[in-house]
C-alpha cells in the first residue's frame, strides 16, 4: 500500500460494514460524519435492489446515519445505467421491487410482458412461481437475461433467505441462458460509481465485509480494498481466497482516521 496514491474518495458497502440487522455498527456514524466534514467524495453501495436511494436515506437516517440520497449507489441504479447505455428507451419484464422499477422508469424504460428487450431479475421478498415461469418463457422467446446481483442468499432476523442469484440459477436451469449480473462483484458497478463521483480508481478505496463480492470488485476495479470483520467473512476465511484485501481491520471504526 506504500506505493499507492493517497485515498481521495471512498466507496463502502452498507450491510455488514455500516449496519447489521438494522443497527448501526460502532464507528459508522463517526466515519460518515468525517467523510462529510472533509468533503471527500463517497458512495454507500448495496447489492440489494429492493429500495430506492430515497428509501435507504430515510432508513439510515432513522438509525442515526445521515447519508445524502446522492451518495447512495444500488445495484438497481447500476443495472439501469447499464441498460440505458446498451439499449436506450428499451423495454423490460421486471421481477423486483420499487428500487428496481423506479430506476428503470427513470431512464425511460417501458415495463411490459409483451416482447420485452430484457428480463430483469432483482431482489424481492415475494418471488412467485408465476413470475418465474413468465420470465422463462420470455427468455426462451428471445428476451435478454439481466440480474441486478449474484447474491445467492440474503440476511433476515430468522436466518438466510433465497436471493437473486438463487432464483437466477433456477431460470438458467430452465432456459440454458446465463444472465449478465450488473452488481458486485462485477467491477462495472464500481466503475460506474466512480464515474458518478468523478473519481479515479488509483486514489479510491473500497470497504466491504465480503471477500467474494466487495473485495473482489474493488480489486478488479483497481482500488485499494479494506475488509472489515463485522459481516460475513471471518478472519480464518481470508486465506481461502486466491486474492487478498489491501488491509484487514476489525471494523469501520478503524478507518475513521484515514479519511
Amino acid at each position: 500500500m506504500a506505493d499507492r496514491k493517497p485515498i481521495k474518495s471512498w466507496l463502502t458497502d452498507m450491510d455488514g460494514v455500516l449496519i447489521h440487522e438494522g443497527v448501526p455498527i460502532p464507528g459508522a456514524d463517526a466515519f460518515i460524519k468525517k467523510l462529510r466534514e472533509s468533503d471527500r467524495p463517497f458512495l454507500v453501495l448495496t447489492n440489494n435492489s429492493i429500495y430506492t436511494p430515497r428509501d435507504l436515506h430515510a432508513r439510515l437516517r432513522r438509525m442515526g446515519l445521515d447519508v445524502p440520497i446522492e451518495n447512495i449507489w444500488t445495484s438497481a441504479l447500476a443495472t439501469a445505467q447499464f441498460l440505458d447505455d446498451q439499449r436506450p428507451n428499451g423495454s423490460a419484464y421486471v421481477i423486483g421491487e420499487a428500487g428496481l422499477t423506479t430506476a428503470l422508469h427513470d431512464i425511460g424504460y417501458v415495463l411490459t410482458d409483451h416482447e420485452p428487450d430484457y428480463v430483469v431479475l432483482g431482489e424481492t421478498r415475494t418471488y412467485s412461481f408465476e413470475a418465474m415461469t413468465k420470465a422463462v418463457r420470455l427468455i426462451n422467446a428471445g428476451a435478454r437475461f439481466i440480474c441486478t446481483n449474484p447474491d445467492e442468499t440474503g440476511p433476515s432476523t430468522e436466518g438466510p433467505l433465497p436471493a437473486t442469484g438463487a432464483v437466477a440459477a433456477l431460470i438458467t436451469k430452465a432456459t440454458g441462458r446465463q444472465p449478465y449480473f450488473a452488481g458486485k462483484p462485477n467491477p462495472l458497478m464500481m466503475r460506474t460509481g466512480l464515474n458518478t463521483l468523478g473519481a479515479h480508481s488509483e486514489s479510491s478505496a473500497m470497504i466491504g465485509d465480503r471477500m467474494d463480492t466487495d473485495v473482489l470488485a474493488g480489486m478488479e476495479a483497481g482500488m485499494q480494498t479494506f475488509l472489515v470483520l463485522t459481516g460475513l467473512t471471518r478472519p480464518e476465511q481470508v486465506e481461502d481466497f486466491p486474492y487478498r484485501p489491501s488491509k484487514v481491520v476489525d471494523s469501520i471504526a478503524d478507518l475513521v482516521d484515514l479519511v
Side-chain angles (χ1 to χ4, degrees):
M1 291 179 62
D3 297 328
R4 298 298 297 256
K5 293 183 178 180
I7 300 170
K8 296 181 180 179
S9 54
W10 293 84
L11 277 66
T12 176
D13 188 36
M14 185 171 67
D15 293 306
V17 178
L18 301 178
I19 61 174
H20 179 67
E21 293 185 358
V23 178
I25 290 171
D29 55 344
F31 184 77
I32 296 297
K33 183 179 180 183
K34 188 83 174 287
L35 283 173
R36 299 194 66 184
E37 290 176 347
S38 67
D39 288 328
R40 296 280 190 195
F42 76 97
L43 285 178
V44 173
L45 288 82
T46 177
N47 255 0
N48 191 320
S49 63
I50 290 179
Y51 303 106
T52 67
R54 188 178 300 275
D55 295 333
L56 291 171
H57 164 75
R59 289 164 63 88
L60 290 169
R61 195 167 190 176
R62 286 196 298 270
M63 300 178 204
L65 302 178
D66 193 7
V67 180
I69 295 171
E70 60 269 20
N71 292 97
I72 297 173
W73 189 246
T74 71
S75 64
L77 293 176
T79 300
Q81 183 166 319
F82 170 74
L83 293 180
D84 193 33
D85 290 340
Q86 292 285 308
R87 192 175 293 266
N89 301 310
S91 60
Y93 174 70
V94 178
I95 300 176
E97 301 284 347
L100 181 55
T101 56
T102 300
L104 293 175
H105 272 303
D106 287 347
I107 62 166
Y109 255 55
V110 173
L111 306 189
T112 179
D113 61 0
H114 179 67
E115 298 182 353
D117 297 316
Y118 297 96
V119 166
V120 182
L121 175 66
E123 209 74 63
T124 176
R125 294 291 181 259
T126 56
Y127 289 114
S128 75
F129 186 77
E130 180 183 0
M132 287 185 281
T133 299
K134 184 166 290 187
V136 166
R137 292 172 179 169
L138 290 171
I139 291 168
N140 282 336
R144 301 150 190 88
F145 188 18
I146 303 288
C147 288
T148 56
N149 64 287
D151 300 55
E152 295 169 352
T153 60
S156 77
T157 54
E158 295 83 18
L161 295 171
T164 309
V167 178
L170 183 154
I171 294 174
T172 291
K173 197 72 173 178
T175 61
R177 299 277 291 278
Q178 295 283 345
Y180 181 78
F181 294 104
K184 297 177 293 180
N186 188 344
L188 172 81
M189 183 172 177
M190 321 301 282
R191 293 189 181 280
T192 53
L194 289 172
N195 290 342
T196 299
L197 292 178
H200 196 285
S201 59
E202 286 187 339
S203 57
S204 300
M206 173 65 195
I207 310 167
D209 70 307
R210 291 184 61 154
M211 288 289 292
D212 59 343
T213 55
D214 305 317
V215 171
L216 179 59
M219 179 193 70
E220 291 189 343
M223 293 185 282
Q224 294 186 47
T225 55
F226 293 90
L227 177 73
V228 297
L229 300 176
T230 48
L232 288 176
T233 302
R234 308 311 317 147
E236 63 274 12
Q237 294 176 313
V238 175
E239 294 299 328
D240 294 339
F241 293 86
Y243 50 87
R244 293 182 57 81
S246 305
K247 190 173 183 179
V248 179
V249 297
D250 289 332
S251 76
I252 191 74
D254 298 307
L255 301 176
V256 175
D257 291 340
L258 293 183
V259 176

